[in-house]
Amino acid sequence: TILLNSNESIIRSNIAIAIGDLAFRHPNLIEPWTSHVYARLKDDCLEVRKNTLLVLIHLILNDMIKGKSNISEIALCLEDSNNNIVDLAKLFFHELSKKGNTLYNSLPDTISQLSNLETISPNTFQKIMSHLFSFIQKERQTESLIEKLCQRFRTCANIKQSRDI
């Protein structure tokens, strides 16, 4: 697709914005393509990453797309090399934490997906998780999250996954 293969960053950036507009009007048509949009969060170009993050934030916070399975991609933005991207990701998680249990419900999957990445260092993983766990305020949620994570120990495929949990 042009979104993935274009050599011009302005084209990739504009397509990400256009997909956001399409998703706002026709979320069911765009849903199968959301993984391609999330992939632009790892683009080499800062403007593409920023515009993609802004589009995804807008769509998720307005319930136009479900972010649950891909929240880990946005969580990786908490450790981006650019402070503007980091600040946008922090703002996203702050706003998401205000939307009921959405962030809480996505944490087990986020932890699993991040622990499956070979490219993420233990230090980076801990920084991301510390930020996300800071939004879990209720003791009941903390206890329930611990239970869910303990159940995932059985499915760990390697030492890294076990350590991350």
Side-chain angles (χ1 to χ4, degrees), residues 142-158:
T142 303
E143 291 171 1
S144 178
L145 193 56
I146 290 170
E147 286 179 26
K148 288 178 183 179
L149 293 176
C150 287
Q151 291 173 0
R152 289 187 182 231
F153 270 121
R154 286 182 253 148
T155 62
C156 291
N158 57 45

Side-chain angles (χ1 to χ4, degrees), residues 14-124:
N14 286 339
I15 289 175
I17 293 169
I19 288 174
D21 291 340
L22 281 171
F24 196 76
R25 295 276 293 159
H26 308 285
N28 294 334
L29 292 174
I30 298 300
E31 193 275 327
W33 297 94
T34 55
S35 62
H36 296 289
V37 178
Y38 278 98
R40 294 301 90 213
L41 291 173
K42 297 176 183 171
D43 200 283
D44 293 333
C45 177
L46 172 62
E47 281 301 309
V48 174
R49 288 196 320 267
K50 186 181 101 179
N51 286 336
T52 301
L53 184 56
L54 286 169
V55 165
L56 289 170
I57 288 170
H58 174 72
L59 293 173
I60 293 169
L61 292 179
N62 288 299
D63 297 322
M64 299 310 298
I65 62 171
K66 298 201 184 305
K68 184 179 178 184
S69 62
N70 293 311
I71 293 289
S72 61
E73 298 294 329
I74 297 176
L76 287 171
C77 291
L78 291 168
E79 290 294 309
D80 195 90
S81 59
N82 182 275
N83 287 336
N84 290 332
I85 300 289
V86 172
D87 290 343
L88 283 171
K90 285 181 178 179
L91 176 65
F92 168 73
F93 286 111
H94 177 74
E95 292 299 319
L96 190 63
S97 71
K98 294 178 181 178
K99 292 184 65 93
N101 291 329
T102 306
L103 180 60
Y104 162 75
N105 290 336
S106 68
L107 276 176
D109 288 337
T110 300
I111 292 168
S112 292
Q113 289 169 4
L114 290 176
S115 67
N116 285 334
L117 295 176
E118 296 295 325
T119 57
I120 188 171
S121 72
N123 188 37
T124 300

Side-chain angles (χ1 to χ4, degrees), residues 2-14:
I2 295 174
L3 178 63
L4 301 174
N5 299 324
S6 177
N7 292 331
E8 298 293 325
S9 61
I10 191 72
I11 292 174
R12 293 190 310 272
S13 184
N14 286 339

